[in-house]
Structures are given as C-alpha cells and as structure tokens.
Amino acid sequence: MAATGVSHLLDVRDAPAPTTLADNPLTFLTSLGGPVAWRVPGRDRRRVRVVTTLLHGNEPSGFLALHAWLRSGIQPAVDALCVIANVEAAALHPVFTHRSLPRQRDLNRSFHGPFDDATGRVAGSLLELIEASRAEALVDLHNNTGRNPAYGVGIQPTPERLQLTALFGRDFVWSRLALGALLEAVDTCPAVTIEVGKSGDDAADAVALDGVTRFFGADRLFSGALPPVRVLEMPMRARVRQGCSLVMAQQPTGSADLTMPDDLDRHNFQTVPAGSRIGWTRDGACPLGLFDAEGRDRAADYFEVRGNELIAHRPFMPIMITADAQIAMSDCLFYIVHEVS
Ligand SMILES: [Zn+2]
C-alpha cells in the first residue's frame, strides 16, 4: 500500500438513514457533490468490509447497487464501508457517460501515484482510508463496454479472492498487468475488481446488487470449500498496430486497415476455433498486434491473413472485447487468456 500522507478527501461519515436517501438514483447522485465514504454499522462492529464504486464515472452498476442496498436498511454482518468515488465525472451531463472528468487522469490508473493532482488526491485518500479501516476484504465494482459474464480480476488467484469472486460470477481473471488500478495497490486485505457486465444492462445491475447484498450480509466470507471459479491467466493484449485504422462493421469497408465485426463481443469468454474469421484487412498485412507480458509480439502465432480476411491461426479465448472502436484504439481491442488448472 502506498504511503501517501496527502489529503482527507474521503473522511468516513456515518451513512444517512435509509429513509432520508432520495429514491431516484440520479437525484441521489447529484446530491453527493463529490467523493463519499459512508460507514454502516454492522452486527459485529470490530470488522469492516469495503465496496468501492464509480472509480469510472461511466460504470454505474455498483453505484446503483449501493444506492439500493443503503435504502434497503438491511444491517450488514460487519461494518460496511461504501465508497462512491468519481461522483463529479458520473454526474457530468449526459450522466454516466464520462469515465473521468475532462483533462483529468483515469482514477483507476492512478493508484501508483503521483498523488499530488486532483485525481491523485482522491486515489491517495482512498488508499489511506482502506488501510486505516483495517478492512477484511474489498470489492471494487466496474462495468465493461462489451458483453461479458460477470467476472473477478485480481493479482493472484488466492482462495480469498476466488471466494469474493464467487459472490458475483464464475470466472477469475489473473492479471499481471501493472496499470495503477486499485486492486494492485491494496495489500492489507484480499481485494478484487468485479466486472459485473455491460453498463446500462439490467442484468449487470442485478448481479451487482445481489453480490453486494451477499458480501455485506455473510457472517464469514472465507470459510468453506473453494468455490467453482475458473481461473484465467491474462497473458496477452491485442492492439491495433500504430498507424493502422479500425472500423467496426459487418462487412469489409475498405476504408480502414482493419475491419472488425461490431458484434465481436459475443465471443467474450468463449473459445474461437482455429480457422475462424475474426475480421478483414485492407492490404494483406496483419494490422493487429498481440503483446505478451514481456512486450513480445505474438500475433504471428495466433492470427494469419488470407486474402483480405484475418483468420484465427489457432484456437484462443478472448475476453474484454470492446465493440467501441474509439476505446479499442485508445486502450486495447481484447485480451487473450489461458485457463489455469
Ligand atoms: Zn472500470
């Protein structure tokens, strides 16, 4: 955990009484004004669990879950710390469409510092809060831009992280990427990111609320047998090569170096067989790079170009496919995972 010593942006406050919370989530959001951390007293006051939401302002499922859970008035098993982080980005019109405030860093890429700008102060303050609370577990709730089943992400597939994941889904993605995400910086308790599904999808909102209710409600989180959670190692990142253009369409457009089907995300978490067409190219060169943890390009092992088609050279399982060309260009198109036994 980073020792930041910066701000007290996120002082813990007692949660308001359920009856005083606006029943409309948007009214509730705009009433907050900035990042909040609320503590709800549990049956066992010596222990604390943390849920963080809205590190990304365009990923509302966790926020909607916390709002519904707070309004339910259900007493948690242990003290519940409810963090709603990037309230300002989320509330910016149109609501829930801004990942971050314009000209500010991505909060969930800022947990390795620096901690001296606006985003860094929120990140540092959140790390201090988690450490000071001596939490026994942390769940950080996110949405994807593509279709996905709910899954957990963590830095090691420990039994605790798999048990936290099992409250929400059946897959755990073992990430070795150093992105500056919250889950990489928390080392005082088991922490997972949960991607509950696509933003704006009712099913994703339901997964978040169901999981939060169980996370705060269980007397013991880490007892019993290991849950049936599949562990997927995330070794490679598929990116459009520098200087190449990308469009999403159902047929080759000829207007871009790479055309990918706009429903590619239906392959998320499924094996794409060898020989499958995954897109179209313009000039016979492979416009897609595939980079492993050491930065080596493995594209030639996985993809081949036949005529104007981009073909799977061997079977692979993609996850986190985005159907948004802009996000694909600025970040990555998808990851390729291997199942770990
Ligand atoms: Zn996110």
Side-chain angles (χ1 to χ4, degrees):
M1 176 101 49
T4 57
V6 276
S7 65
H8 298 281
L9 273 173
L10 266 172
D11 285 333
V12 181
R13 289 177 259 161
D14 290 336
T19 49
T20 64
L21 292 174
D23 62 350
N24 182 311
L26 297 185
T27 311
F28 173 63
L29 177 72
T30 46
S31 74
L32 299 177
V36 298
W38 281 332
R39 188 164 183 145
V40 180
R43 295 189 291 277
D44 178 354
R45 303 261 6 228
R46 295 162 301 176
R47 294 186 288 149
V48 183
R49 292 173 199 158
V50 186
V51 168
T52 52
T53 64
L54 285 186
L55 294 193
H56 292 141
N58 58 342
E59 300 176 9
S61 288
F63 163 78
L64 297 172
L66 276 190
H67 172 248
W69 183 81
L70 285 163
R71 274 181 47 83
S72 75
I74 299 170
Q75 188 182 28
V78 307
D79 276 18
L81 201 50
C82 303
V83 178
I84 307 173
N86 211 336
V87 169
E88 287 144 301
L92 206 60
H93 187 75
V95 72
F96 298 133
T97 59
H98 293 79
R99 186 173 170 97
S100 311
L101 282 177
R103 291 177 298 284
Q104 286 196 4
R105 288 189 292 144
D106 182 330
L107 178 56
N108 207 29
R109 299 287 180 269
S110 303
F111 288 95
H112 294 329
F115 296 109
D116 55 1
D117 64 354
T119 305
R121 279 190 287 277
V122 176
S125 187
L126 180 51
L127 289 177
E128 287 179 341
L129 171 70
I130 293 163
E131 190 163 41
S133 72
R134 297 171 189 274
E136 63 178 13
L138 178 140
V139 167
D140 180 30
L141 294 173
H142 289 255
N143 291 107
N144 293 109
T145 50
R147 278 172 288 183
N148 277 304
Y151 61 91
V153 185
I155 49 173
Q156 276 282 331
T158 60
E160 290 81 10
R161 292 196 183 104
L162 298 184
Q163 279 167 324
L164 293 176
T165 297
L167 298 171
F168 297 85
R170 288 286 168 269
D171 287 301
F172 176 89
V173 175
W174 180 3
S175 170
R176 290 196 178 88
L177 299 171
L179 300 171
L182 176 60
L183 69 98
E184 299 162 18
V186 173
D187 56 12
T188 51
C189 69
V192 289
T193 289
I194 303 288
E195 301 279 357
V196 295
K198 196 170 176 171
S199 296
D201 181 350
D202 290 346
D205 297 346
V207 166
L209 177 56
D210 196 40
V212 163
T213 304
R214 293 198 281 161
F215 176 66
F216 284 149
D219 284 320
R220 300 257 162 239
L221 289 171
F222 304 129
S223 55
L226 213 55
V229 171
R230 183 169 64 164
V231 177
L232 301 168
E233 205 175 356
M234 191 163 78
M236 285 172 288
R237 214 163 133 86
R239 300 198 64 163
V240 179
R241 290 187 193 285
Q242 207 142 38
C244 290
S245 54
L246 167 73
V247 293
M248 300 286 188
Q250 283 304 328
Q251 62 237 338
T253 61
S255 65
D257 299 299
L258 177 62
T259 305
M260 299 294 275
D262 49 16
D263 59 351
L264 198 68
D265 57 357
R266 71 185 198 284
H267 296 298
N268 268 325
F269 288 87
Q270 287 169 19
T271 300
V272 174
S276 308
R277 185 185 62 217
I278 51 178
W280 297 273
T281 67
R282 182 157 57 179
D283 60 6
C286 181
L288 203 54
L290 184 65
F291 302 96
D292 66 16
E294 283 76 43
R296 286 180 301 234
D297 190 344
R298 307 280 309 279
D301 296 340
Y302 283 82
F303 312 128
E304 61 178 289
V305 177
R306 287 188 209 153
N308 73 334
E309 294 188 328
L310 185 64
I311 304 286
H313 184 62
R314 59 162 82 175
F316 65 89
M317 185 186 293
I319 67 164
M320 301 189 207
I321 298 173
T322 179
D324 183 320
Q326 223 180 334
I327 291 171
M329 290 301 284
S330 66
D331 190 16
C332 86
L333 192 53
F334 56 83
Y335 294 86
I336 285 181
V337 291
H338 295 152
E339 189 169 348
V340 180
S341 55

